[in-house]
Amino acid sequence: MPCRDETHRRIEPFKARPTRWLREFQAGVREPAGGVNVISWNRLYTLKSYLRASLWIVPFLALIVQQAFFRTVLASEAWTRWIPPWPLGIEGTVAAMQAIISLALSFIVFTFGSLLVAIQIASGQLTPRIIATTLLRDNVIRFTVGLFIFTLLFAIGAISRVNTSAPPSIVWISGILGVLSLAAFLYFIDYSARLLRPISIIHSVSEQGFAVIEAVYPERWQDADRQPQPHEALGEPDRVVSHAGPSDIVLAVDARSLLITATRAQGIVELVARVGDFVAYGQPLFRLYGGAATVPARNLCGSVAFGRERTIEQDPTFAFRVIVDIATKALSKAINDPTTAVLAIDQLHRLLSSVGGRDLRNRYLRDAKGQLRVVYPTPDWEDFVQLACREIRIYGTENLQIARRLRAMIDNLLEVLPESRKPALRVEGDLLGQMIDKAYLLPEDAALARVADTQGLGGSAKT
């Protein structure tokens, strides 16, 4: 949807307004100087995100590939006469193909049925956020289902030609696919059991978090004594562009496109919302300064992708959010699984160590001459620390494992990170100590809770 200019509004008669689908289509299309319509960046990003999180894409492609491959095998019969004939007769071949069809169909039903049950259990025990971030993006599940569908359709095509002129290669390939499907199914059962373990889910989210941290903050923190870059006063904007689409969450921003646009216009573009923020209809989205005030609102809004649920691709704090949700749910009275929360803190420890070693001051983008062109908010170090520590401390300090594991994480980060990162960590350490004083009645328990332990309880405590 196009953005709305706060200073210039045009009210059209109702009859002149296009239908909703036409407005959305027009909003997703930009016309460059060449006169050729191209899909805007935000539409392409939304499409790619949908394809990455869709389970049906690979099975559907398997259907198309099977049709092309089956016809290729039939057309190449003259070059496959060296293949020995199938050892079974017609009745045996029909029985073998029927068995393969039954197995493939059973595998498909079992896979989707077990996946639905796994989604319900995992989302209830861990967090619903893992459905889109982990389960639906798993390539093993996708390609296993694709293999089952390919085998099913190929065997159906083979059995329909057994009594006519099916070359031996068709039957042999069907048999091989049947064996491969059986092996893939056995592997899938073992893989699913491992995938649904809490540590596997948490580690998968953590790895995605590492990838987005490296993408959003590519530069390492070189000087431990450098101070954060001061905010540059921009003054009153020359123009404000408001969000005119559905009230959604900012999923991603094409910062490079905004930089090019602002440089060409010789102005400054300020994005008000941060990736992961909810933006309501009519809420300011851009503040424009100088020559950027002449840039069409549609060009700017085409650089921001919206959606109904946060994604990890450009949102480094969302990986923290998912892991913290898993930890806090494990600490609830209904589940009471502090060991899973300790595993979550392990991954938060890794992520904080990675974030603390990177330069987080990338909210200001400049052109080749060093002129400020784009300003957009990004998470700072305090945001990451508070997100990783506060909720877990509030919900879990009463448990010895959580208190000791949090202390071990804070103490280790204080040792390995630059001096500028330590004030926020010291604040969390002090708050943890105050919570321990209030949570434990016996001084012996309080003393035990203050000891750092990377295993939570029972490990080699650091005294």
Side-chain angles (χ1 to χ4, degrees):
M1 297 291 291
C3 291
R4 177 166 55 92
D5 194 331
E6 190 73 12
T7 56
H8 300 87
R9 302 179 185 178
R10 181 165 59 95
I11 302 178
E12 299 178 352
F14 177 79
K15 293 183 180 181
R17 296 178 182 176
T19 59
R20 179 180 180 182
W21 69 268
L22 182 58
R23 292 200 310 270
E24 293 181 351
F25 177 78
Q26 291 174 345
V29 175
R30 294 184 299 187
E31 184 173 351
V36 179
N37 289 336
V38 294
I39 301 179
S40 60
W41 177 88
N42 58 353
R43 292 284 176 159
L44 289 176
Y45 180 87
T46 303
L47 177 61
K48 290 188 292 184
S49 296
Y50 174 77
L51 294 178
R52 283 195 296 264
S54 297
L55 188 62
W56 64 273
I57 299 296
V58 173
F60 179 77
L61 293 178
L63 186 152
I64 300 175
V65 173
Q66 183 274 334
Q67 294 294 320
F69 182 71
F70 191 87
R71 284 165 173 74
T72 301
V73 174
L74 289 177
S76 61
E77 180 181 0
W79 292 276
T80 58
R81 299 186 184 278
W82 55 272
I83 298 178
W86 182 255
L88 303 179
I90 294 180
E91 295 182 357
T93 302
V94 171
M97 295 300 104
Q98 289 177 345
I100 293 174
I101 293 173
S102 300
L103 286 175
L105 186 59
S106 300
F107 294 160
I108 295 172
V109 173
F110 178 86
T111 300
F112 280 106
S114 60
L115 181 61
L116 292 177
V117 174
I119 288 176
Q120 293 177 353
I121 295 175
S123 61
Q125 294 291 327
L126 300 175
T127 174
R129 258 68 61 187
I130 66 173
I131 297 175
T133 58
T134 303
L135 297 179
L136 296 183
R137 293 172 179 258
D138 192 274
N139 289 326
V140 173
I141 299 177
R142 291 179 174 182
F143 286 99
T144 301
V145 176
L147 175 61
F148 295 157
I149 292 180
F150 188 94
T151 302
L152 173 65
L153 297 177
F154 201 94
I156 292 175
I159 197 174
S160 65
R161 289 170 171 78
V162 168
N163 294 324
T164 56
S165 58
S169 58
I170 292 290
V171 184
W172 278 106
I173 293 175
S174 299
I176 294 173
L177 289 174
V179 174
L180 290 177
S181 296
L182 180 60
F185 179 72
L186 297 176
Y187 171 78
F188 177 75
I189 295 177
D190 177 74
Y191 178 82
S192 300
R194 298 175 184 272
L195 174 66
L196 295 177
R197 294 185 302 170
I199 183 58
S200 298
I201 298 293
I202 297 172
H203 186 270
S204 177
V205 176
S206 177
E207 291 301 313
Q208 296 181 56
F210 277 113
V212 68
I213 288 171
E214 293 180 358
V216 176
Y217 306 110
E219 298 183 4
R220 302 291 300 180
W221 186 268
Q222 301 295 337
D223 187 358
D225 297 326
R226 291 196 308 183
Q227 297 298 322
Q229 185 174 351
H231 177 72
E232 299 191 16
L234 300 177
E236 290 294 326
D238 297 309
R239 179 178 161 212
V240 176
V241 176
S242 299
H243 179 54
S247 300
D248 279 324
I249 295 173
V250 178
L251 302 182
V253 177
D254 187 7
R256 179 176 177 273
S257 175
L258 292 177
L259 178 60
I260 294 175
T261 301
T263 302
R264 290 175 177 174
Q266 295 297 305
I268 300 175
V269 175
E270 179 185 7
L271 178 64
V272 179
R274 192 172 78 179
V275 174
D277 286 352
F278 178 83
V279 180
Y281 175 85
Q283 181 176 336
L285 185 60
F286 290 99
R287 297 192 185 102
L288 308 179
Y289 304 86
T294 60
V295 177
R298 179 175 297 179
N299 293 353
L300 296 172
C301 295
S303 301
V304 182
F306 289 90
R308 296 184 177 179
E309 185 179 12
R310 293 171 67 180
T311 59
I312 296 183
E313 280 75 10
Q314 286 193 18
D315 192 351
T317 58
F318 188 56
F320 285 78
R321 178 74 272 163
V322 175
I323 298 176
V324 170
D325 285 350
I326 294 175
T328 54
K329 180 165 284 190
L331 294 172
S332 65
K333 302 300 182 182
I335 298 177
N336 194 22
D337 184 12
T339 303
T340 296
V342 171
L343 297 176
I345 297 175
D346 292 342
Q347 301 304 316
L348 292 173
H349 189 168
R350 297 176 59 213
L351 290 172
L352 279 178
S353 179
S354 176
V355 172
R358 295 188 175 274
D359 190 348
L360 307 182
R361 309 174 307 161
N362 66 341
R363 66 177 62 195
Y364 303 109
L365 300 183
R366 304 177 183 275
D367 58 17
K369 298 180 180 179
Q371 296 293 325
L372 179 64
R373 295 305 180 192
V374 177
V375 179
Y376 67 102
T378 56
D380 55 23
W381 173 243
E382 287 74 17
D383 294 330
F384 288 105
V385 174
Q386 293 172 4
L387 180 57
C389 298
R390 290 291 173 98
E391 292 177 87
I392 297 178
R393 172 178 55 79
I394 293 173
Y395 292 120
T397 305
E398 297 178 355
N399 190 283
L400 288 172
Q401 290 192 67
I402 304 305
R404 290 160 64 93
R405 184 62 187 92
L406 281 176
R407 175 61 65 185
M409 179 183 73
I410 294 173
D411 289 350
N412 176 260
L413 294 175
L414 286 172
E415 293 178 0
V416 301
L417 292 182
E419 185 64 32
S420 59
R421 305 299 193 208
K422 295 181 180 180
L425 295 171
R426 293 193 182 101
V427 170
E428 296 301 326
D430 294 339
L431 293 175
L432 178 60
Q434 297 177 36
M435 286 287 293
I436 291 175
D437 293 335
K438 294 183 178 181
Y440 295 92
L441 299 177
L442 300 178
E444 292 82 3
D445 291 338
L448 186 63
R450 290 190 182 93
V451 178
D453 189 348
T454 55
Q455 292 187 19
L457 187 63
S460 300
K462 179 180 178 181
T463 58

